[in-house]
Amino acid sequence: MSNYDYEDDDDFTMDDSSNDLVKQLRKASKQKDRELQELRSQFEGLNQMQRDRAIKDALASRGVNSKIASFIPQDIDPTEESVSKWLEEYADVFGIEVSQTQTPNVNPADAAAYKRMTNSADSGTSPEHNGDIMQKLMNANSKEELDDVIRLSGL
């Protein structure tokens, strides 16, 4: 005889409420699987659209027809550098001339503004100098001293 005195195996019965619970869980699981699949397909679609847009923008920045994007393989990263490298490699296939010295497309007005900012930063006065001028202006005792400070400071 065993040490355990539990011989009644018929005590375990499944009632209908636990069976309904299992059905509800299975139904919820199937619904979540459908939602997950739908979200995955949306993600893949958006990811593909973003990739296509990035490749077309990279081609447009090089001045190439965007229809070439359909020939770019999926394993090419949709970055400007990767697309440019691929385009240089297959330029002869599409009849594109690749120039070795490329200049960036910079608006001349922006370039002039940048140059002006750089020049002003190089020739500008420091805050210490302005504070020194202000101190001299405040300490001037006569009109002549005030005029000298203004003339020397370039104000």
Side-chain angles (χ1 to χ4, degrees):
M1 182 152 191
S2 73
N3 292 337
Y4 301 105
D5 196 21
Y6 188 73
E7 297 176 9
D8 193 11
D9 289 336
D10 294 334
D11 283 348
F12 185 71
T13 60
M14 293 192 81
D15 56 345
D16 288 337
S17 65
S18 66
N19 197 15
D20 288 339
L21 181 61
V22 172
K23 286 181 183 179
Q24 290 173 353
L25 288 174
R26 285 184 184 146
K27 183 178 177 182
S29 176
K30 287 180 184 178
Q31 184 176 354
K32 291 292 180 187
D33 289 343
R34 276 186 260 131
E35 289 175 4
L36 180 63
Q37 184 63 30
E38 181 181 329
L39 289 174
R40 281 185 180 157
S41 66
Q42 285 179 355
F43 174 75
E44 290 170 1
L46 291 174
N47 209 9
Q48 183 63 36
M49 286 174 38
Q50 182 183 14
R51 180 184 189 285
D52 291 345
R53 182 80 255 155
I55 289 175
K56 286 182 181 181
D57 289 344
L59 291 173
S61 71
R62 297 280 309 247
V64 179
N65 192 342
S66 63
K67 291 181 180 180
I68 294 177
S70 61
F71 297 107
I72 296 177
Q74 291 292 325
D75 61 338
I76 300 294
D77 290 335
T79 60
E80 181 86 27
E81 297 83 26
S82 298
V83 172
S84 294
K85 184 178 176 183
W86 182 87
L87 193 59
E88 288 172 7
E89 189 175 327
Y90 292 98
D92 59 335
V93 174
F94 299 107
I96 301 169
E97 292 184 22
V98 179
S99 62
Q100 296 298 330
T101 57
Q102 294 179 342
T103 58
N105 296 332
V106 178
N107 186 355
D110 292 340
Y114 176 74
K115 187 174 182 179
R116 204 169 48 248
M117 286 187 295
T118 305
N119 289 340
S120 68
D122 292 340
S123 64
T125 58
S126 67
E128 291 176 1
H129 182 68
N130 290 340
D132 189 34
I133 293 172
M134 184 61 144
Q135 186 67 29
K136 288 180 181 178
L137 286 173
M138 297 302 286
N139 290 337
N141 292 329
S142 67
K143 183 179 184 302
E144 291 79 23
E145 286 180 15
L146 189 60
D147 289 339
D148 288 339
V149 170
I150 292 172
R151 186 172 17 87
L152 291 174
S153 67
L155 297 175

